Amino acid sequence: MSDSFVLGMTAIAAGIAALGCIGGGLGTGKATAKAVESVSRQPEATDKILKVLIAGGALSEATAIYALLVALMLIFVGVH
Amino acid sequence: MSDSFVLGMTAIAAGIAALGCIGGGLGTGKATAKAVESVSRQPEATDKILKVLIAGGALSEATAIYALLVALMLIFVGVH
Amino acid sequence: MSDSFVLGMTAIAAGIAALGCIGGGLGTGKATAKAVESVSRQPEATDKILKVLIAGGALSEATAIYALLVALMLIFVGVH
Amino acid sequence: MSDSFVLGMTAIAAGIAALGCIGGGLGTGKATAKAVESVSRQPEATDKILKVLIAGGALSEATAIYALLVALMLIFVGVH
Amino acid sequence: MSDSFVLGMTAIAAGIAALGCIGGGLGTGKATAKAVESVSRQPEATDKILKVLIAGGALSEATAIYALLVALMLIFVGVH
């Protein structure tokens, strides 16, 4: 892959793909907000709340990693 | 598929497709938020809540995987 | 279908189509959130809640699959 | 990588990638907001709230770091 | 880096990158708003509220600094 137009477009594509991280950031942020609020109401349930937060937060976080993966592949592999 | 314009456009398409992960990220984030809030109200129902969260969260997560799939196919298969 | 402009536009179209998954992700995520909240209030109704969640979640999920289908057809069949 | 068009497009791509930081900023900001609100309700639970905030905030923060990583690689490595 | 097209595109990229500060600004703003509201309800908990605000606000603020960093590097280092 050596054509300059393809390289330029691929660079932009990687930049656009990185925006896919926004959903994961907002999602885990909202989940954390609710977890913090819940702990203040039920401090004795901190361990259970943290367990559920990690389980669900991993799913939300994964969507950001998918976007990262696409961006990285565009940079290092490109289209072919 | 060797035309540079096609390759460039395909790269952008993969980047746009990656944005499709946003919905899954926000969706599972919101689901996790409610799960966390619910566990704080009914700690003894943690296992049941977690079961429902995984069941519904998998559906939400799947939509992000669909977008990932489209992006990957655009990169490795392309249009033809 | 061999014109490079058509191929390039088709690739972008497939990427845009993938964004259609966002609605399904948000919809099923919200449905799951309410299901989780409901289970915490009525743990003994878990089975009924789960049944309704699957029925309604399938409808919401279907919209993401429609978008996936359009993207796949653009990639493998193209316009003609 | 020396073609001017590629360099220009890569620069724009790095700029777009930086926008991916927005999600992490909003997410950790919302989490902090709820933590602060919670501490005011349950001052004696400050340590627990802070522990949960750091755990969840790291996940949200990570999404901004992913976007930063993509931007940095576009600038220092470029596409190839 | 002396090509005028590259310089022009890099300038635009720095401007776009600066928009990444929006998230941090909104996030820390929301956090501060809740902190102020909380202190008014629990004046005696001011020190604890301030501690949590600084801890979480630093995470949110960092995302704006990431965007600033990208913008500065585009201006002073450029792509290469």
Side-chain angles (χ1 to χ4, degrees):
Chain A
M1 191 174 78
S2 61
D3 185 272
S4 67
F5 181 78
V6 174
L7 286 173
M9 288 299 126
T10 301
I12 287 185
I16 294 172
L19 297 179
C21 293
I22 293 176
L26 291 173
T28 56
K30 184 164 181 57
T32 303
K34 280 295 182 187
V36 162
E37 191 180 22
S38 299
V39 166
S40 78
R41 282 199 211 115
Q42 303 269 0
E44 69 278 7
T46 297
D47 289 338
K48 287 180 178 175
I49 290 169
L50 200 53
K51 189 175 82 175
V52 174
L53 174 66
I54 298 300
L59 288 176
S60 187
E61 188 75 7
T63 66
I65 292 172
Y66 297 158
L68 175 68
L69 183 67
V70 172
L72 292 182
M73 284 194 304
L74 283 168
I75 292 173
F76 292 111
V77 181
V79 294
H80 58 129
Chain B
M1 191 174 78
S2 61
D3 185 271
S4 67
F5 183 77
V6 173
L7 286 174
M9 289 297 127
T10 301
I12 287 186
I16 294 172
L19 297 179
C21 293
I22 293 175
L26 292 172
T28 56
K30 184 165 181 57
T32 304
K34 279 295 182 187
V36 162
E37 190 181 22
S38 299
V39 167
S40 78
R41 282 199 211 114
Q42 303 271 359
E44 72 279 4
T46 296
D47 289 339
K48 288 180 178 176
I49 290 170
L50 199 54
K51 188 174 81 175
V52 174
L53 174 65
I54 297 300
L59 288 177
S60 187
E61 188 73 7
T63 66
I65 293 172
Y66 297 157
L68 175 68
L69 183 66
V70 171
L72 292 182
M73 284 193 304
L74 283 169
I75 292 173
F76 291 111
V77 181
V79 295
H80 58 128
Chain C
M1 191 174 78
S2 62
D3 185 87
S4 66
F5 182 78
V6 173
L7 285 174
M9 289 299 128
T10 302
I12 287 186
I16 293 171
L19 297 179
C21 293
I22 293 176
L26 291 172
T28 56
K30 184 164 182 58
T32 303
K34 280 296 180 188
V36 161
E37 191 180 23
S38 299
V39 166
S40 77
R41 282 199 210 115
Q42 302 271 358
E44 71 279 5
T46 296
D47 289 339
K48 289 180 179 175
I49 290 169
L50 199 54
K51 190 175 77 177
V52 173
L53 173 65
I54 297 301
L59 289 176
S60 186
E61 188 75 5
T63 67
I65 293 172
Y66 298 158
L68 176 67
L69 184 65
V70 171
L72 292 182
M73 285 194 301
L74 283 169
I75 291 173
F76 291 111
V77 182
V79 295
H80 59 124
Chain D
M1 191 176 77
S2 62
D3 185 272
S4 67
F5 183 78
V6 173
L7 287 173
M9 288 298 128
T10 301
I12 287 186
I16 294 172
L19 297 179
C21 294
I22 293 175
L26 290 173
T28 56
K30 185 164 181 57
T32 304
K34 281 294 182 186
V36 162
E37 191 180 22
S38 299
V39 166
S40 77
R41 282 198 211 115
Q42 303 269 359
E44 72 279 6
T46 297
D47 289 338
K48 288 179 178 175
I49 289 169
L50 199 53
K51 189 175 79 175
V52 174
L53 175 66
I54 297 300
L59 289 176
S60 187
E61 188 73 8
T63 67
I65 292 172
Y66 298 158
L68 174 68
L69 183 65
V70 171
L72 292 182
M73 285 193 301
L74 283 168
I75 292 174
F76 291 111
V77 181
V79 295
H80 58 129
Chain E
M1 190 174 77
S2 63
D3 185 272
S4 67
F5 181 78
V6 174
L7 285 173
M9 288 297 125
T10 301
I12 288 184
I16 294 172
L19 297 177
C21 293
I22 294 175
L26 291 172
T28 56
K30 184 165 180 57
T32 303
K34 281 292 183 188
V36 163
E37 190 181 20
S38 299
V39 167
S40 76
R41 279 198 213 116
Q42 303 268 359
E44 70 279 8
T46 297
D47 289 340
K48 288 180 178 175
I49 289 170
L50 200 54
K51 189 173 81 174
V52 175
L53 175 66
I54 297 301
L59 289 176
S60 187
E61 190 72 8
T63 66
I65 293 172
Y66 297 158
L68 174 68
L69 183 66
V70 172
L72 291 182
M73 285 193 302
L74 283 168
I75 292 173
F76 291 111
V77 183
V79 295
H80 57 132

